[in-house]
Amino acid sequence: MTNNNNILTAHTIEEIDDWVSRYPEEQKRSALLGALRAAQHQNNGFLTTELMDAIAEYLELDKIAVYEVASFYSMYELEPVAKHNVAICTNISCMLMGSDKVVDYIENKLGIKVGESTEDGRIYLKQEEECLAACAAGPMMQVDHVYHEKLTPEKIDEILDALD
Ligand code: FES
């Protein structure tokens, strides 16, 4: 596998290699989701064409196959956003448990609307419409892909204030 132009950092390559090692040699494609996540993290929260091309080259996949996957899954950002990704589940179960109030609280706290990033580049409030499969513990949100459940204003303050 080659990383000719050093667009992917050594740390990202290490993570991709780890994903690749989990699958049979002829199924390198299976490592793509993990590879995209590592590259997105490297780039402070969003993917660029350059990064996707570098992954395609490294995993020996067609560029178009990488673009398709990156644009299909909502966990990948293709436009610049702030560093930390906060996604509040607003699907039916969480809605019944007060996710609307959570959205209002966080929008007021951060001074932005869902779909926007804070001016200091710290927090991106993502539009999340899919159920995140933690319905019994709603209302919930994902922060940089970590689940936080049974949210209260106190818990939200603690979680968001701890983000650098
Ligand atoms: S509805 Fe929110 S986790 Fe399922």
Side-chain angles (χ1 to χ4, degrees):
M1 293 185 288
T2 48
N3 180 30
N4 287 336
N5 34 24
N6 292 322
I7 288 169
L8 303 171
T9 62
H11 181 70
T12 301
I13 293 286
E14 214 174 280
E15 275 192 54
I16 296 175
D17 287 346
D18 181 52
W19 283 106
V20 169
S21 71
R22 301 179 197 198
Y23 303 102
E25 172 65 22
E26 68 282 5
Q27 279 178 32
K28 267 189 285 182
R29 191 190 176 93
S30 308
L32 181 53
L33 293 182
L36 287 169
R37 202 158 74 168
Q40 177 163 280
H41 185 71
Q42 167 191 322
N43 197 44
N44 282 333
F46 69 99
L47 289 164
T48 60
T49 307
E50 254 190 342
L51 281 167
M52 290 188 282
D53 289 350
I55 288 175
E57 186 187 350
Y58 194 69
L59 293 178
E60 295 165 350
L61 299 171
D62 287 339
K63 288 179 185 175
I64 189 77
V66 176
Y67 302 160
E68 276 172 6
V69 168
S71 55
F72 179 78
Y73 289 100
S74 68
M75 62 190 160
Y76 303 117
E77 302 300 333
L78 304 179
E79 301 289 335
V81 291
K83 182 175 176 188
H84 296 288
N85 189 310
V86 173
I88 307 156
C89 178
T90 53
N91 214 279
I92 186 74
S93 299
C94 284
M95 195 176 82
L96 294 172
M97 289 185 275
S99 63
D100 289 0
K101 286 200 185 94
V102 172
V103 171
D104 286 349
Y105 184 79
I106 294 182
E107 284 185 340
N108 282 331
K109 178 178 171 69
L110 299 178
I112 55 172
K113 292 285 176 200
V114 166
E116 296 176 351
S117 293
T118 54
E119 258 178 33
D120 60 5
R122 214 165 58 89
I123 296 177
Y124 168 51
L125 196 50
K126 187 182 174 80
Q127 181 83 48
E128 186 60 73
E129 282 151 1
E130 299 299 324
C131 166
L132 293 171
C135 311
M140 62 82 66
M141 65 180 176
Q142 257 189 332
V143 178
D144 298 331
H145 305 293
V146 175
Y147 279 33
H148 296 278
E149 302 172 342
K150 298 190 171 149
L151 294 172
T152 60
E154 296 73 29
K155 262 194 184 177
I156 292 167
D157 285 347
E158 204 179 298
I159 296 160
L160 297 186
D161 293 350
L163 298 175
D164 59 10

